């Protein structure tokens, strides 16, 4: 098997401000795994928060290429990955997720089956996705909310966590008034103290907010669990729930866990977390980083497992270089074509193409 990768720049349609940063663009590393004339694709995006730049991702992919070359078939490589034998220990979860994506895509194409069937779901999943509104003025947020509601979005996620809590409340109220029938989620990205959260949560509950993601600074999951016990609305762990052990620690103690494939290590890891949470009273949320359709597609094939679906990262881009999961009407849909069911749009350069890229050693 041959693994190639190259880096592209993903520009956002407009800068996205959250409590800890503002992002206008990010790099994505596209990889292609080729075997006997078939190619499977995956994507890993850079993240300052998780300490991943394109160079780091590329170096880990070079190491993984040598491991893949020792596998007889894509099916044996996928089995090794699922058994934890591939890639090497210490590989960042985002890289593991991207490699698994490419293998799932490749195995699905070779078998003539879509990825969701490989993951145990006979019918192609579709789900209502939340659409993120960054920190901005109440007027701008209201205009955006009204426009999104007209387009068909029924779940809106509002970012929060500015120094003056009243500014957040004003923005959420403006969104509520502009889209009165929308379900609202709130995400302060860990910007609140426990004392502030105790004051604010009842006020957001009164505004009809359905749930709040990671209200407290990550690093103290016990404090998050204590807050969830008293909260008048559901509390979803995100930054405090990276992988399976974090989920095990919080299962039954928070109302939801936001599982992102780039955070936990891919679809197989996400399914293990889903099984772990089943019957615990903690619901599954499927989330994402800002990425292209290629990066989001594996999660869309799992969308039937989630109570909350937040798979809108591709919708934030000025130009999505891939297509195949929809979302512009508020609903994401897994492709029925073999593999991930996505394809590059005509003017983009597919992953693995020699132009602008580099080939990893075999």
């Amino acid at each position: 098997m041959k693994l190639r990768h190259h880096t592209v720049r993903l520009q956002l349609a407009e800068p996205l401000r959250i409590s800890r940063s503002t992002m206008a663009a990010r790099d994505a590393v596209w990889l292609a795994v080729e075997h006997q004339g078939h190619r499977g694709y995956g994507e890993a995006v850079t993240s300052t928060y998780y300490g991943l730049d394109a160079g780091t991702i590329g170096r880990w992919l070079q190491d993984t290429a040598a491991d893949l070359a020792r596998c007889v078939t894509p099916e044996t490589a996928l089995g090794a990955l699922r058994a934890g034998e591939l890639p090497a220990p210490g590989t960042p979860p985002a890289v593991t997720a991207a490699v698994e994506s490419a293998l799932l895509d490749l195995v699905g194409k070779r078998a003539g089956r879509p990825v969701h069937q490989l993951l145990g779901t006979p019918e192609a999943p579709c789900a209502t996705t939340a659409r993120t509104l960054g920190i901005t003025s109440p007027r701008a947020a209201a205009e955006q909310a009204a426009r999104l509601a007209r387009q068909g979005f029924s779940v809106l996620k509002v970012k929060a966590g500015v120094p003056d809590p009243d500014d957040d409340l004003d923005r959420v109220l403006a969104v509520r008034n502009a889209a009165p029938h929308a379900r609202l989620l709130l995400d302060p990205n860990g910007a609140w103290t426990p004392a502030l959260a105790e004051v604010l949560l009842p006020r957001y509950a009164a505004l009809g907010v359905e749930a709040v993601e990671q209200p407290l600074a990550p690093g103290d999951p016990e404090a998050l669990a204590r807050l969830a016990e008293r909260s008048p609305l559901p509390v979803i762990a995100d930054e405090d729930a990276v992988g399976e052990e974090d989920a095990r620690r919080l299962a039954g103690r928070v109302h939801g866990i936001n599982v992102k494939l780039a955070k936990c290590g891919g679809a197989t890891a996400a399914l293990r977390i889903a099984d772990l949470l089943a019957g615990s009273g903690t619901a599954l949320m499927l989330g994402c980083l800002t990425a292209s359709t290629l990066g989001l597609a594996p999660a869309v094939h799992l969308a039937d497992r989630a109570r909350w679906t937040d798979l809108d990262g591709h919708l934030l881009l000025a130009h999505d270089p891939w297509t195949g999961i929809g979302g512009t009407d508020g609903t994401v849909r897994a492709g029925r074509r073999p593999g991930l069911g996505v394809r590059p749009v005509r003017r983009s350069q597919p992953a693995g193409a020699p132009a602008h890229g580099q080939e990893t050693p075999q």
Side-chain angles (χ1 to χ4, degrees):
M1 276 179 289
K2 182 182 296 184
L3 190 157
R4 302 181 182 186
H5 73 274
H6 73 280
T7 302
V8 299
R9 189 72 165 166
L10 300 178
Q11 199 76 30
L12 274 66
E14 58 184 51
L16 177 67
R17 180 187 171 195
I18 65 174
S19 61
R20 61 174 177 256
S21 63
T22 300
M23 180 177 63
R26 76 181 340 151
D27 289 332
V29 179
W30 291 346
L31 63 138
V33 178
E34 184 176 351
H35 184 73
Q36 295 181 345
H38 290 282
R39 278 181 176 174
Y41 297 102
E43 176 182 272
V45 295
T46 57
S47 169
T48 301
Y49 184 80
Y50 290 110
L52 279 181
D53 58 27
T56 300
I57 293 170
R59 287 190 292 274
W60 282 105
L61 288 174
Q62 288 177 342
D63 293 342
T64 302
D67 295 331
L68 287 177
R70 289 191 288 269
C71 296
V72 178
T73 66
E75 291 76 14
T76 58
L78 183 59
L81 187 146
R82 287 173 165 171
E85 300 165 0
L86 180 79
T91 302
V95 175
T96 302
V99 172
E100 184 186 39
S101 171
L103 289 173
L104 284 168
D105 192 31
L106 180 54
V107 169
K109 288 172 178 173
R110 281 165 53 86
R113 300 173 63 194
V115 163
H116 60 82
Q117 292 183 3
L118 302 180
L119 298 175
T121 300
E123 298 299 321
C126 66
T128 298
T129 182
R131 180 64 158 80
T132 299
L133 285 72
I135 293 173
T136 186
S137 69
R139 179 177 178 178
E143 291 173 352
Q144 186 178 13
R147 182 175 68 254
L148 292 170
R150 290 193 298 270
Q151 293 172 0
F153 288 90
S154 59
V155 184
L156 301 176
K157 184 167 88 168
V158 185
K159 292 290 188 177
V162 298
D164 186 349
D166 286 336
D167 289 345
D168 287 334
L169 286 159
D170 290 343
R171 184 168 54 260
V172 173
L173 178 59
V175 170
R176 165 55 69 216
N177 290 337
H181 303 297
R183 296 161 54 198
L184 298 186
L185 305 176
L186 189 73
D187 187 6
N189 287 107
W192 297 347
T193 64
L196 183 59
E198 296 276 3
V199 172
L200 292 178
L201 287 174
R203 299 182 68 179
Y204 283 111
L207 289 175
V209 171
E210 180 176 316
V212 58
E213 281 185 63
Q214 195 66 44
L216 305 183
D220 190 353
E222 293 300 316
L224 192 68
R226 289 193 298 270
L227 179 67
E229 284 183 1
R230 304 185 297 275
S231 175
L233 53 82
V235 172
I236 302 169
D238 183 356
E239 286 90 343
D240 265 329
V242 175
E244 188 173 352
E245 288 309 308
D246 296 327
R248 192 183 310 278
R249 186 180 303 113
L250 288 169
R253 306 182 66 203
V254 294
H255 303 92
I257 287 179
N258 187 343
V259 173
K260 299 174 182 174
L261 271 58
K263 183 174 67 169
C264 72
T268 297
L271 287 173
R272 287 199 299 264
I273 293 174
D275 289 343
L276 186 157
L277 296 181
S280 70
T282 297
L284 178 70
M285 179 179 194
L286 271 177
C288 64
L289 302 180
T290 302
S292 78
T293 281
L294 174 60
L296 270 74
V300 176
H301 283 272
L302 297 174
D304 58 308
R305 266 83 165 186
R307 174 179 172 183
W308 297 283
T309 303
D310 180 23
L311 299 177
D312 68 335
H314 62 307
L315 302 176
L316 305 180
L317 301 180
H319 164 62
D320 185 355
W322 295 77
T323 186
I325 61 173
T328 56
D329 61 352
T331 300
V332 290
R333 302 167 179 85
R336 291 179 169 84
R337 300 168 61 190
L340 291 173
V342 303
R343 60 191 185 279
V345 300
R346 188 174 299 274
R347 68 190 182 105
S348 70
Q349 181 73 29
H356 313 300
Q358 65 185 75
E359 185 173 339
T360 57
Q362 300 308 298

